[in-house]
Amino acid sequence: MSDATAVPTHCPYCALQCGMSLRPTGTPELPAEVVERTGFPVNRGALCGKGRTAPSVLSSRVRLTEPLVRCPDTGALRPATWEEALSAVAEGLSRTRADHGPDAVGVFGGGGLTNEKAYTLGKFARLVLGTSQIDYNGRFCMSSAAAAHQRAFGLDRGLPFPLEDIPKTGCVILVGSNLAETMPPALRYLTELRENGGKLIVVDPRRTRTAEQADLHLAPRPGTDLALALGMLHLVVAEGRVDEEFVAARTDGWAAARAGAMSHWPEQVERITGVSLPRLREAVAMFCDAGTGMVLTARGPEQQSKGTDTVGAWINLCLATGRAGRPLSGYGCLTGQGNGQGGREHGQKADQLPGYRKLDDPAAREHVAGVWGVDPETLPGPGRSAYELLDALGGDVKALLLMGSNPVVSAPRAAHVEGRLRSLDFLAVADVVLSETAELADVVLPVTQWAEETGTMTNLEGRVLLRRRALTPPGGVRSDLEVMHALAGLLGWEKGFPTDPEEVFDELRRASAGGPADYAGISYRRIEEEQGVFWPCPEPGHAGTPRLFLDRFATPDGRARFVPVVHRAAAEETDAEYPVVLTTGRVVSQYQSGAQTRRVDELNAAAPGPFVELHPRLAERLGVAEGERLAVVSRRGRAVAPARITPSIRPDTVFMPFHWYGEGRANTLVNPALDPVSRMPEFKVCAVRLERAGDAAATAG
């Protein structure tokens, strides 16, 4: 039920940014309770368990409430005043700059930071620190889809249409997404699609809760999504299903893309993917016989060392069949993190300036430098991508300021990354809880949470939303904007870093004006009145843009670009020593690195720890029983977790969720091989062997 006295806001977790309201309770143990917000269009009141229990992390029992500084005598973190903690951070960063130069200082951000904080963090890195070494954990989320979007359409926005269009299309191909667990309130859009007579095809090596809803489930071997898309496009051509009129009128590059697809014979694709030719034909018929269609991808095809090309192949399928740039059709990416979209638009990425401008574009540098009141020549150039930055810690990069991320759990080759973090001369972490990464820091700064601050987020539709402050934060906590304001002052910048989020947003609007992600016409008032505004919105009188590309694509000539691609193997294929494929993902009751959700009793009861999902045939070959401790070993390390035996996964594949630290840390195993375009690591496929824990001789192959 609704409550007029509650403050309207949004869930702190995924990119749906579900609407909710918060009613303060006045108790420190549970400072607020969630009230249904039925009028918000994205979720219409529905929430998953994570959203419903989100106020639990506001409790003084689980959160940070005072700064911590590492004691040189004992090596332990101890409470400190804000003045002492901020002075220690400023001294650590300035000393490193003086001794080794500005690029010896790194900055690592997060996809959960508001637009205002992401913008300010990028500005702080480039002006105050003068460093090029900034990136964020959103690089691990949808960077491959972003790169493919840019290559094909000239613009990257997760969904080029609102979620409300999905139930109205004729067919959806959902690739590598378990929406039922990662974004449960969004599952209703697929349910409504089928109720309306539309078809759903799910591509996933596991028969997930989402795949169970599908009219057709294709279960390719992990790492072969690119071949699958090429095989489908081959059949589209061979069966005369190309929309020749659309291709001629609105695209370029078809001949080369067609040649690439025609070199992938369906029988060859069947051998590579394990998907039978009859099912390939069925998928093509289902997609092409519908009058309209969409392809939606998530981390499955994107988190690969060929993720950009894989997404490009699915985009080529949309373009060849005329399922792009038309109503109720198109390609979209299901962005994962709460502000993964806005976080990459306004300056956290190594190569970007606010408004989704390119850092190496002279005109972009001049515009943003003008807003900031500096000489464009003083802005550093592009820096390292996320994993490359983490890998450089303790080497070229000797100090790190980290906000809103937990790479000790979330990064690929996580044990190595943990070692690099430990090797730093200085580490400062700003977070709401004492994460595994914060535990390594020299200084920990406790910052406000979603319910205690106002700011904007941009959800997966490109809808800019407003979170309203509902609670007064504890006395020992400051906002990230206050932290950066104070540090800037200590480092010699008295102006340019306001603490009021609306003032920051107004500056962001000016900095983004004229850029691809143009927020110039969006204001806090408009967001409240219109329940979000879709970018681009170049001026106050502009209605916003819920649907992109209907008249032209965002390329110089308005035409979409086919990009020719061919299948290639994963960076690490199975062999006699490592004969099984590992893929990773999420479960419904935990979120990302689990830094927040693992502190909620109800969520931990539902998902208490890691597991290894494997097929009964593989379990029988190994001689392992349900619940028995199983070691998964890759070339990078070893993880141990209980076996979960199910026929819903391919016999040549195992699955582990990545939310936990300790011996069950899945990201210890994964391969940091990078996509050459997006610099996305290959989370979704690596070669492993299985052993009964403590019995290295019993190996499954």
Side-chain angles (χ1 to χ4, degrees):
M1 69 179 186
S2 62
D3 184 337
T5 64
V7 178
T9 186
H10 295 272
C11 176
Y13 294 117
C14 82
L16 282 179
Q17 284 299 287
C18 292
M20 60 165 67
S21 293
L22 285 181
R23 180 169 50 216
T25 63
T27 61
E29 191 63 23
L30 190 66
E33 58 186 2
V34 172
V35 177
E36 200 174 77
R37 185 179 168 192
T38 57
F40 186 67
V42 170
N43 61 311
R44 293 174 253 167
L47 293 169
C48 71
K50 295 187 291 291
R52 188 169 39 78
T53 61
S56 297
V57 187
L58 297 164
S59 169
S60 56
R61 179 176 59 87
V62 301
R63 68 166 317 152
L64 290 166
T65 56
E66 58 185 348
L68 303 173
V69 172
R70 193 164 301 280
C71 177
D73 296 330
T74 66
L77 289 169
R78 62 166 176 81
T81 65
W82 269 99
E83 289 71 21
E84 180 186 7
L86 289 168
S87 294
V89 176
E91 198 277 331
L93 299 179
S94 61
R95 181 181 65 246
T96 303
R97 290 181 74 245
D99 292 347
H100 304 286
D103 276 356
V105 179
V107 176
F108 199 85
L113 301 181
T114 64
N115 288 317
E116 292 81 359
K117 291 190 285 188
Y119 170 83
T120 302
L121 187 60
K123 181 180 179 182
F124 180 88
R126 293 179 174 107
L127 295 193
V128 178
L129 300 176
T131 182
S132 66
Q133 301 302 301
I134 175 172
D135 212 87
Y136 83 129
N137 63 16
R139 176 79 67 171
F140 301 154
C141 184
M142 62 284 126
S143 59
S144 293
H149 249 136
Q150 292 278 11
R151 292 200 310 191
F153 305 131
L155 182 70
D156 160 47
R157 196 178 82 184
L159 295 181
F161 40 73
L163 285 161
E164 67 183 47
D165 284 1
I166 292 175
K168 303 170 188 175
T169 194
C171 181
V172 169
I173 303 178
L174 183 66
V175 188
S177 169
N178 185 10
L179 206 62
E181 298 210 34
T182 58
M183 296 180 175
L187 189 63
R188 70 167 57 192
Y189 292 102
L190 301 181
T191 302
E192 292 171 6
L193 166 76
R194 298 187 69 209
E195 289 172 349
N196 292 339
K199 300 295 184 181
L200 174 63
I201 302 168
V202 171
V203 179
D204 198 305
R206 305 164 62 220
R207 188 165 180 80
T208 63
R209 289 173 52 199
T210 307
E212 289 173 353
Q213 308 297 314
D215 297 282
L216 179 63
H217 173 215
L218 306 179
R221 179 181 171 86
T224 65
D225 312 84
L226 176 52
L228 184 72
L230 287 163
M232 290 181 65
L233 184 53
H234 182 114
L235 289 171
V236 165
V237 176
E239 295 175 3
R241 295 179 178 272
V242 175
D243 188 332
E244 302 285 0
E245 183 179 348
F246 176 87
V247 168
R250 299 199 58 191
T251 74
D252 281 326
W254 169 232
R258 181 185 186 280
M262 297 313 288
S263 68
H264 293 73
W265 294 93
E267 293 82 4
Q268 174 195 18
V269 170
E270 182 180 52
R271 288 193 301 273
I272 293 170
T273 65
V275 176
S276 70
L277 180 52
R279 294 181 77 79
L280 274 176
R281 292 189 187 280
E282 185 179 359
V284 168
M286 195 175 288
F287 187 60
C288 292
D289 289 347
T292 53
M294 299 174 179
V295 174
L296 306 177
T297 69
R299 305 303 78 75
E302 299 164 17
Q303 286 182 326
Q304 298 184 29
S305 60
K306 52 182 181 292
T308 303
D309 284 356
T310 301
V311 173
W314 290 106
I315 290 175
N316 287 348
L317 180 67
C318 289
L319 293 174
T321 55
R323 269 105 176 124
R326 287 174 167 170
L328 307 181
S329 289
Y331 163 77
C333 163
L334 298 173
T335 301
Q337 293 192 80
N339 201 31
Q341 182 71 49
R344 68 184 185 269
E345 293 170 1
H346 298 302
Q348 282 193 102
K349 279 185 73 176
D351 58 349
Q352 284 177 343
L353 288 170
Y356 226 145
R357 289 180 160 91
K358 298 297 290 182
L359 187 53
D360 56 5
D361 176 1
R365 294 169 66 86
E366 183 176 359
H367 174 85
V368 174
V371 174
W372 290 349
V374 299
D375 184 337
E377 295 298 318
T378 64
L379 297 179
R384 293 177 172 96
S385 70
Y387 179 76
E388 292 166 303
L389 173 56
L390 295 171
D391 189 42
L393 301 181
D396 294 343
V397 180
K398 300 182 182 301
L400 184 69
L401 173 63
L402 186 147
M403 286 187 163
S405 185
N406 189 18
V408 164
V409 177
S410 64
R413 199 183 172 198
H416 171 74
V417 168
E418 180 176 350
R420 302 321 304 155
L421 284 159
R422 291 181 182 275
S423 73
L424 283 165
D425 293 348
F426 182 78
L427 172 62
V429 173
D431 210 332
V432 300
V433 296
L434 191 65
S435 70
E436 288 79 8
T437 303
E439 288 179 352
L440 306 181
D442 297 286
V443 180
V444 181
L445 304 174
V447 292
T448 50
Q449 297 191 50
W450 56 288
E452 301 161 346
E453 59 187 15
T454 294
T456 60
M457 307 284 280
T458 306
N459 80 345
L460 77 171
E461 308 166 291
R463 187 194 300 252
V464 185
L465 306 166
L466 182 64
R467 287 181 179 171
R468 278 291 186 193
R469 174 171 164 164
L471 303 171
T472 300
V477 171
R478 297 188 184 181
S479 74
D480 294 278
L481 294 180
E482 290 172 328
V483 167
M484 287 184 279
H485 170 84
L487 288 175
L490 289 171
L491 293 169
W493 287 75
E494 298 297 331
K495 296 181 180 180
F497 292 87
T499 60
D500 176 64
E502 190 165 9
E503 184 179 348
V504 176
F505 187 76
D506 285 341
E507 183 182 309
L508 181 159
R509 293 167 62 192
R510 297 195 302 276
S512 75
D518 193 335
Y519 283 33
I522 304 175
S523 64
Y524 277 21
R525 178 176 178 180
R526 278 196 65 181
I527 296 171
E528 281 196 298
E529 291 174 348
E530 300 172 31
Q531 302 209 74
V533 180
F534 292 84
W535 70 262
C537 183
E539 56 190 21
H542 192 281
T545 315
R547 296 168 181 87
L548 297 170
F549 312 140
L550 295 183
D551 299 318
R552 67 189 312 274
F553 295 98
T555 56
D557 61 5
R559 299 167 71 88
R561 305 283 191 261
F562 280 98
V563 177
V565 295
V566 295
H567 176 70
R568 60 185 186 272
E572 183 179 79
E573 291 287 283
T574 56
D575 57 21
E577 187 178 2
Y578 299 97
V580 178
V581 179
L582 168 70
T583 192
T584 64
R586 288 169 47 190
V587 296
V588 67
S589 293
Q590 299 290 352
Y591 180 72
Q592 303 299 78
S593 76
Q596 296 175 59
T597 53
R598 285 187 276 116
R599 288 167 166 80
V600 179
D601 292 341
E602 181 180 329
L603 300 178
N604 279 333
F611 57 86
V612 183
E613 185 178 282
L614 70 162
H615 192 275
R617 294 212 301 267
L618 187 55
E620 182 180 8
R621 192 182 319 159
L622 183 63
V624 66
E626 177 75 18
E628 186 175 344
R629 281 164 52 82
L630 190 60
V632 184
V633 184
S634 78
R635 290 178 173 86
R636 289 151 295 281
R638 185 174 190 263
V640 179
R644 182 174 294 183
I645 301 172
T646 172
S648 65
I649 191 169
R650 290 177 55 98
D652 58 2
T653 301
V654 295
F655 167 83
M656 289 188 72
F658 62 82
H659 310 290
W660 289 273
Y661 184 60
E663 69 172 5
R665 178 171 58 184
N667 280 334
T668 294
L669 306 168
V670 302
N671 192 352
L674 300 181
D675 179 287
V677 179
S678 69
R679 315 309 287 168
M680 168 72 83
E682 191 149 59
F683 287 95
K684 281 297 184 273
V685 50
C686 74
V688 299
R689 67 172 182 264
L690 306 179
E691 304 167 351
R692 291 198 300 273
D695 182 3
T699 301

